[in-house]
Amino acid sequence: MTVVITKPTGTFIHIPKNAGVAISQWLTHNVQGSYLFQQQHGGKHAAQKRIKKWMDADQRQMDMGFTFCVVRNPWDRVVSAYHYYVRRHQTSDGKYGIDSLKTSWEEFANREWEHGKWGCVHKPQTTYFDKVDCILRFENLDKDFLQIQDMYNCYRPLFPANQSKHKDYRKYYTNPRWIDDVAEHFKADIKEFGYSFE
């Protein structure tokens, strides 16, 4: 969820499958964070532009304050999304065309990218924000999250939530074309954050 905190002012931008539920829960349970756009379609993963536009128009004159988000290796993120759908037994009434009881990893990996057919990870991570004060990395989250704990002077641990459990993502890419597909679709993320398949 998009979460806003008031003391000090901050905004967490929740990019799908990047530990967002765990961080949202930590913020709401420990530093009086509150959900924004909770009941609005697409609000859970609202981009920075949408959040700022809403705040600028709000009569309470809200400010995003310190902004932060988490990024993740795209190849790992796609594997995580697959297991997310399987674990939740989500068919979404055909929304994503994923039958959790029948769709194999191979079928998921071969899906067309157009129109978001890969579900929640279709959008590159760079589309969720323009410029934030702090980018945490999923791969180093325990250490990186100390920046947030320092800022709010709260050192309660960050517990996993909504976590997809799977083996090393590299073991799933048995077809080199799948590696290339992810590289092409997420080329902006790879360039911006320096990720590689290995």
Side-chain angles (χ1 to χ4, degrees):
M1 298 286 185
T2 301
V3 177
V4 293
I5 313 98
T6 55
K7 295 180 181 179
T9 304
T11 304
F12 171 58
I13 299 163
H14 182 175
I15 301 173
K17 300 313 302 170
N18 290 9
V21 172
I23 292 174
S24 297
Q25 290 180 354
W26 189 93
L27 293 169
T28 56
H29 294 166
N30 297 308
V31 295
Q32 298 181 327
S34 57
Y35 294 122
L36 186 66
F37 302 136
Q38 189 172 12
Q39 304 301 322
Q40 295 185 27
H41 176 70
K44 179 177 181 180
H45 303 298
Q48 186 175 16
K49 283 183 180 178
R50 178 178 175 185
I51 299 167
K52 187 175 188 311
K53 183 178 180 181
W54 184 88
M55 287 185 174
D56 287 348
D58 189 74
Q59 298 300 316
R60 293 170 289 178
Q61 298 182 326
M62 297 177 70
D63 189 300
M64 292 187 76
F66 180 85
T67 53
F68 65 102
C69 64
V70 179
V71 297
R72 183 177 189 173
N73 183 303
W75 290 275
D76 187 29
R77 189 167 172 249
V78 170
V79 171
S80 179
Y82 168 69
H83 285 279
Y84 164 76
Y85 288 117
V86 170
R87 178 172 53 84
R88 290 194 53 158
H89 302 288
Q90 182 172 343
T91 60
S92 300
D93 295 325
K95 180 179 178 182
Y96 298 126
I98 298 167
D99 185 329
S100 62
L101 301 178
K102 299 177 181 177
T103 304
S104 67
W105 159 251
E106 181 177 359
E107 290 169 319
F108 188 79
N110 284 327
R111 294 182 66 81
E112 295 295 329
W113 287 96
E114 189 178 4
H115 304 309
K117 294 179 181 178
W118 277 37
C120 64
V121 298
H122 175 70
K123 290 183 181 179
Q125 296 165 91
T126 50
T127 64
Y128 287 89
F129 62 96
D130 300 310
K131 185 178 181 181
V132 292
D133 297 302
C134 183
I135 298 175
L136 314 178
R137 288 187 181 259
F138 181 89
E139 298 78 16
N140 200 32
L141 191 56
D142 285 342
K143 182 179 178 182
D144 285 2
F145 195 67
L146 281 170
Q147 298 171 75
I148 307 305
Q149 292 171 315
D150 285 342
M151 181 173 181
Y152 291 101
N153 194 30
C154 178
Y155 296 93
R156 291 176 182 164
L158 178 67
F159 293 110
N162 200 34
Q163 189 177 34
S164 299
K165 295 183 179 180
H166 54 82
K167 59 189 177 183
D168 187 311
Y169 70 88
R170 290 168 289 195
K171 296 184 182 297
Y172 290 83
Y173 292 86
T174 55
N175 185 332
R177 183 171 62 81
W178 300 338
I179 300 174
D180 294 340
D181 286 347
V182 173
E184 175 60 26
H185 188 75
F186 292 107
K187 57 188 176 185
D189 290 351
I190 292 165
K191 180 180 179 180
E192 181 71 20
F193 310 125
Y195 280 116
S196 67
F197 179 71
E198 295 297 333

